[in-house]
Amino acid sequence: MKDYLQKTARLISVASFPVLLLTTAMPQNSAIASNFDACASSLLESGISGDDAGIACADALEPTVLSACVATIERETAITGQEALTACYRVRRPEELASCVVDIDNNLDSADVANLALDNCRRSLLPERFADCVVGLNSSISEFSGNEAIATCISAEEFPTELFPRN
């Protein structure tokens, strides 16, 4: 009888171990729900309509990252929440987009640079590098306006033919 109890105890422990792993590895429903709640609340505070906030948060892979992007751009630039949502929704790196737009807007003197920065940061594959390029060129080359620095950085080729001709 003692041998039978030991075998049963081992079997139960072996069978329950994977269940234990699954229950501790899976996120709790309330944590997931709070991500959507935080996203929707943040978007509503940024001036997004309830319908648009619901659709955006429901469709986002990482809803809190999307809403943080929108909130940062709307709070720190002259860009509206709706414009920010459109851009943040269409990029792979929303956090970098927000950082790019804010950096360019804070470092360039042009009044209309925020919308231009938003569009070009969204188009850039590496938004933070793009912002570094724009800010660096604008501060170092006195002939460059902010708009020229943005245009130059977005059109940069890996090997510019003017410097490295293809023979």
Side-chain angles (χ1 to χ4, degrees):
M1 180 72 166
K2 183 178 178 182
D3 189 39
Y4 175 75
L5 289 175
Q6 287 177 338
K7 287 181 181 179
T8 304
R10 279 192 218 128
L11 181 63
I12 290 172
S13 66
V14 169
S16 64
F17 184 69
V19 174
L20 175 69
L21 287 177
L22 285 175
T23 58
T24 58
M26 293 176 61
Q28 301 300 318
N29 287 339
S30 62
I32 294 171
S34 70
N35 287 342
F36 291 99
D37 178 44
C39 175
S41 297
S42 179
L43 290 181
L44 291 171
E45 288 174 12
S46 295
I48 307 299
S49 72
D51 289 341
D52 289 346
I55 291 168
C57 292
D59 198 35
L61 184 59
E62 296 182 40
T64 54
V65 173
L66 172 71
S67 62
C69 175
V70 172
T72 301
I73 293 172
E74 189 267 334
R75 184 179 57 245
E76 297 187 30
T77 68
I79 296 170
T80 67
Q82 190 63 46
E83 292 171 320
L85 176 61
T86 301
C88 292
Y89 188 77
R90 296 173 61 195
V91 296
R92 292 181 184 175
R93 298 177 171 144
E95 295 134 324
E96 286 190 29
L97 171 72
S99 174
C100 177
V101 173
V102 170
D103 286 350
I104 292 174
D105 187 56
N106 288 339
N107 288 292
L108 272 61
D109 293 330
S110 179
D112 63 337
V113 76
N115 285 323
L116 188 60
L118 180 68
D119 182 50
N120 285 281
C121 288
R122 182 192 56 77
R123 290 174 44 206
S124 175
L125 294 176
L126 300 169
E128 288 179 342
R129 183 183 184 284
F130 173 73
D132 290 342
C133 176
V134 171
V135 172
L137 290 182
N138 187 60
S139 66
S140 297
I141 304 173
S142 59
E143 304 89 47
F144 268 23
S145 70
N147 294 354
E148 289 174 313
I150 288 172
T152 300
C153 291
I154 200 66
S155 66
E157 294 180 4
E158 189 172 329
F159 297 105
T161 56
E162 293 82 20
L163 297 176
F164 304 104
R166 295 178 185 156
N167 293 343

